[in-house]
Amino acid sequence: LLARFRDPALNRSLLPLLTRQRLNAAFEDYLGVFSRDGDVYARFRYTDAPLLSQRLERGDFGFRERLEIGGNLLERMALLNMPPVLQLEALGEENVTVDDALRVRFNYVLSHLDNVENVDMGFVCTRLSDLLGRLFDPERAALAVPELEAYRKELEEGKFSTYVDLYAGYDRVR
């Protein structure tokens, strides 16, 4: 997937951030960056797996499978260790995919990328809380998993500062 950025103000902060990601070997989905005629282009891996949102709408998963998907999502976040501004975008509905083996992968349709310097883990935690809310909507409606709601509350309060902390917090729910 090739993402193109045309905003000169955004590009001034985005180009250094993306260039530094060459040193982040853990971020294996990131394939590189280049600039041409004032535009910045970033290359990312793309997966053809179905979007999580579509599969949830179809009711493809039971509770145990969704619990595993949540763990796989957080594990993937911890393994990739990408900058919060990119992780925030990767957690968008149009980017989270899940295959039949329940492996979670991200696509990088970066349509809302802005304010590069001001996005921190607090934003990621809020987006993750929303995503987990959708993942466990049936249980939330029935008030069936208080541990999950407690975890979501911790996310919204910004209690986590690293992806490993996020994963460990979710692991307590499982």
Side-chain angles (χ1 to χ4, degrees):
L1 175 70
L2 186 64
R4 181 180 185 184
F5 305 97
R6 296 179 175 197
D7 180 349
L10 174 65
N11 291 349
R12 278 191 292 280
S13 55
L14 190 58
L15 186 59
L17 177 120
L18 291 172
T19 301
R20 283 191 305 273
Q21 293 314 299
R22 290 182 186 171
L23 304 175
N24 181 0
F27 190 10
E28 64 185 27
D29 289 351
Y30 176 70
L31 302 174
V33 64
F34 63 94
S35 176
R36 179 177 294 147
D37 299 326
D39 294 346
V40 171
Y41 298 83
R43 292 182 49 231
F44 298 94
R45 290 191 200 287
Y46 182 83
T47 179
D48 287 328
L51 293 174
L52 174 62
S53 59
Q54 293 170 338
R55 298 201 65 187
L56 289 174
E57 284 176 24
R58 291 193 310 251
D60 287 355
F61 309 112
F63 175 69
R64 291 278 174 219
E65 291 168 310
R66 287 181 282 119
L67 204 56
E68 185 175 340
I69 289 167
N72 291 345
L73 169 74
L74 284 147
E75 178 181 23
R76 187 80 179 147
M77 290 170 63
L79 290 173
L80 291 176
N81 195 32
M82 68 178 91
V85 69
L86 295 177
Q87 185 64 73
L88 181 69
E89 288 293 310
L91 287 172
E93 198 170 290
E94 68 278 9
N95 287 320
V96 181
T97 68
V98 62
D99 63 19
D100 290 336
L102 306 182
R103 284 185 301 258
V104 174
R105 296 289 182 263
F106 300 112
N107 284 327
Y108 298 88
V109 178
L110 306 175
S111 54
H112 306 289
L113 193 64
D114 60 3
N115 225 354
V116 172
E117 293 93 7
N118 296 324
V119 175
D120 60 17
M121 283 298 288
F123 289 94
V124 172
C125 288
T126 300
R127 174 82 44 97
L128 178 61
S129 177
D130 293 343
L131 179 58
L132 292 174
R134 288 191 305 277
L135 186 62
F136 295 104
D137 196 45
E139 290 76 22
R140 289 181 58 228
L143 303 173
V145 188
E147 300 87 355
L148 178 63
E149 286 307 306
Y151 177 67
R152 289 187 63 235
K153 184 175 182 189
E154 289 179 324
L155 286 170
E156 291 166 6
E157 292 173 351
K159 302 251 179 178
F160 304 99
S161 59
T162 69
Y163 297 122
V164 172
D165 292 341
L166 288 172
Y167 181 77
Y170 184 82
D171 208 36
R172 291 191 316 261
V173 174
R174 295 197 273 185

